[in-house]
Amino acid sequence: MTSLAPIRKIFFGIADRHQMFRLFDRHAQRPDRWQTDDSALYAGEWFQIAQAQHDYMLEILPPLWMRGEMFAMREFLTGSITSVFYTLRINGVARYFHAYCDLSDPRSPYDMRDAIVERERRPVKAMTREERIEHIWSATHDDYRGYAGADFRPGHRGKRTVIVYGRSGTRFQLLESLTDQQISEKLPVHFRHLPCARAA
């Protein structure tokens, strides 16, 4: 069920307008697009945006609903997955977020809100390995990321890949198999030395 998709932060920092639209469909290059149920790819993804982006999305179309600090987009991305935008006061500061929620589960927007607040209230900045991997995927230009094809073993085909640089030149490598050193090299400098947190 899509409602069981893990809640995950996919981008660190505040996404600007260009980044926000890229993050809305960061799986656009997948080879089987539209041929399978893509709900699990999106459900549970979230990232921070600026107030200007939040207000812009609110003004595009009348929302499907508004509930306190959140509103849902009327247009669904796939199946019962749609964008939910939040205004949340965290540690005394108003912050803005976008998330993909599965509205077939009435608790989904509330569970998402609680997960965002819990994650962002942590006093020490840290990133789990999974968050580092997701940020790399989100921040990598389309020309430098892709999906494993015929050059990979059958069990790996269709998995996400990114360009890596080595002594023998450049090649695509499975995103999930990046070493800690490769992850560090691909992260922005100001994220490289953040402590590694354990997954919740």
Side-chain angles (χ1 to χ4, degrees):
M1 292 177 59
T2 56
S3 60
L4 297 180
I7 293 175
R8 56 211 180 274
K9 183 174 184 176
I10 62 166
F11 185 81
F12 272 66
I14 301 173
D16 62 26
R17 182 185 174 106
H18 173 72
Q19 290 167 330
M20 178 181 75
F21 281 103
R22 282 194 77 237
L23 291 167
F24 281 164
D25 197 357
R26 66 194 196 118
H27 307 291
Q29 290 180 295
R30 63 193 182 281
D32 58 351
R33 186 176 172 91
W34 313 125
Q35 297 174 17
T36 57
D37 180 6
D38 299 320
S39 299
L41 278 176
Y42 298 94
E45 294 188 343
W46 66 271
F47 57 92
Q48 186 175 353
I49 58 176
Q51 181 179 358
Q53 276 67 260
H54 171 278
D55 295 348
Y56 172 79
M57 297 307 295
L58 179 59
E59 294 167 3
I60 286 181
L61 291 171
L64 180 66
W65 48 252
M66 295 185 73
R67 298 174 186 164
E69 69 277 276
M70 65 181 99
F71 70 89
M73 291 295 286
R74 182 170 298 277
E75 293 183 349
F76 284 77
L77 176 70
T78 179
S80 54
I81 308 298
T82 195
S83 293
V84 178
F85 291 85
Y86 297 85
T87 303
L88 301 175
R89 197 156 193 86
I90 300 174
N91 297 332
V93 178
R95 295 169 63 186
Y96 306 87
F97 300 89
H98 167 271
Y100 279 126
C101 295
D102 182 357
L103 298 191
S104 69
D105 176 1
R107 285 290 317 162
S108 175
Y110 302 96
D111 291 343
M112 176 65 75
R113 176 199 61 195
D114 294 347
I116 293 172
V117 170
E118 189 279 329
R119 175 66 186 84
E120 295 302 296
R121 273 189 177 154
R122 296 178 194 172
V124 178
K125 277 194 168 185
M127 298 172 77
T128 65
R129 176 181 168 84
E130 292 73 23
E131 288 172 341
R132 293 168 197 259
I133 290 286
E134 293 304 331
H135 182 89
I136 288 168
W137 180 258
S138 296
T140 299
H141 189 277
D142 289 348
D143 291 342
Y144 301 98
R145 66 182 186 182
Y147 293 83
D151 293 341
F152 288 80
R153 292 185 306 197
H156 290 157
R157 290 174 191 164
K159 291 184 176 181
R160 296 180 295 175
T161 62
V162 291
I163 287 265
V164 295
Y165 305 92
R167 294 176 186 169
S168 57
T170 60
R171 62 186 174 87
F172 278 97
Q173 180 175 322
L174 292 177
L175 180 67
E176 65 188 32
S177 73
L178 292 178
T179 66
D180 291 344
Q181 178 64 32
Q182 289 170 327
I183 289 172
S184 178
E185 290 168 357
K186 286 191 167 296
L187 283 173
V189 173
H190 55 289
F191 291 149
R192 291 178 184 174
H193 303 295
L194 291 180
C196 189
R198 285 183 294 182

